[in-house]
Amino acid sequence: MIMAGGSLAIAAAAAVWFMQMGSISASDDAAQAALAAGIDSKEQAAIEAIVRDYILKNPEIIPEAVEILQTRQKAQAINEIRKDIEAPFAGAAFAGNPNGDVIVVEYSDFACPYCKQTTADIGRILKEDKNIKVVFRELPILSEASNDAALMALAAAKQGKYFAFHKTMFATGRPTPSTIENAAKEVGIDMTAARKFMATPEAQKELQNNIEIARKLQFTGTPAFVVGNQTEVGAIGYDGLKQMIAKARGSK
């Protein structure tokens, strides 16, 4: 019966064994940790044998452990930038309850057909759940025209007309100089002021920041979502969004 060090001893021995499994030599630090836990060489060997036998009989714990680690790393990455992603541009690039208990952040591209498809899902959720805030972030990665549409969306936010433009732009069609202008005029955007703003460093910086954050969160396309400590990429649909919201709400 192995008594030395309790769970700490087992954890230390397991760490050493995992390093050996990965063909990495156990470091002096690991050996010192084992000694600090009160494990001599014979006890360490015995514990490693127990750990090895358990893992071989229950290999499913390895992907489970990896998933837990990845979830923690993702949460840490989100928490480091949460204020940046949940604060709507110009205080206006959002829809729903400004004080909602759950914030859904959507990264989208006006040239993305799946983003267009998602507008109906977002609209349904906003209609059904009056305690949701949806923050929209521009991620124009598909074309120069989608970049122009994104800049116009930011200009719309500056004029307090973001969500109206967002919906109208997706309904109008793929972004081109004419569809962008038509959507902007339809929602009453001051075009002179908009064009002036679109050329400012502030507008360019917002798009660049969004791209950098998307890279940090390992988004591979659009739409992409951040809800609480969760991220998803792709048209996950109404049910997928509801599940993310429920999970975020349940963790509060």
Side-chain angles (χ1 to χ4, degrees), residues 53-132:
D53 182 65
Y54 181 81
I55 292 174
L56 292 177
K57 290 180 178 177
N58 301 274
E60 67 276 5
I61 70 170
I62 295 177
E64 288 174 4
V66 170
E67 183 178 354
I68 290 171
L69 176 61
Q70 290 175 336
T71 298
R72 289 176 181 173
Q73 291 174 333
K74 182 185 296 184
Q76 181 179 356
I78 293 172
N79 284 330
E80 290 174 356
I81 55 177
R82 189 177 300 281
K83 290 182 179 179
D84 295 328
I85 65 178
E86 291 187 348
F89 180 76
F94 79 95
N97 185 342
N99 300 310
D101 69 332
V102 172
I103 299 176
V104 175
V105 183
E106 179 189 3
Y107 286 77
S108 62
D109 185 320
F110 285 109
C112 168
Y114 301 106
C115 298
K116 180 176 181 177
Q117 176 182 326
T118 299
T119 58
D121 301 319
I122 292 291
R124 181 179 172 186
I125 285 172
L126 289 171
K127 184 177 180 180
E128 295 176 353
D129 191 332
K130 300 304 181 182
N131 207 19
I132 290 292

Side-chain angles (χ1 to χ4, degrees), residues 120-241:
D121 301 319
I122 292 291
R124 181 179 172 186
I125 285 172
L126 289 171
K127 184 177 180 180
E128 295 176 353
D129 191 332
K130 300 304 181 182
N131 207 19
I132 290 292
K133 179 179 183 180
V134 180
V135 173
F136 301 97
R137 308 223 80 95
E138 306 307 317
L139 191 59
I141 57 176
L142 296 178
S143 68
E144 185 62 32
S146 60
N147 188 76
D148 293 340
L151 289 170
M152 184 62 77
L154 298 181
K158 279 289 188 178
Q159 296 183 31
K161 298 178 180 180
Y162 177 87
F163 192 43
F165 176 80
H166 179 88
K167 293 185 294 183
T168 303
M169 185 67 240
F170 274 120
T172 301
R174 291 182 64 84
T176 65
S178 60
T179 58
I180 294 169
E181 183 170 347
N182 290 341
K185 288 180 177 179
E186 183 173 334
V187 300
I189 291 175
D190 181 329
M191 296 302 292
T192 301
R195 291 192 179 101
K196 182 177 180 180
F197 173 76
M198 290 165 66
T200 64
E202 180 184 359
Q204 300 294 334
K205 183 180 179 181
E206 170 66 11
L207 296 187
Q208 186 58 42
N209 285 346
N210 289 348
I211 290 171
E212 290 175 0
I213 287 174
R215 288 173 179 162
K216 185 171 185 178
L217 296 180
Q218 300 181 358
F219 291 158
T220 55
T222 55
F225 303 94
V226 181
V227 185
N229 289 332
Q230 311 158 80
T231 62
E232 291 287 350
V233 178
I236 60 175
Y238 170 82
D239 291 336
L241 287 168

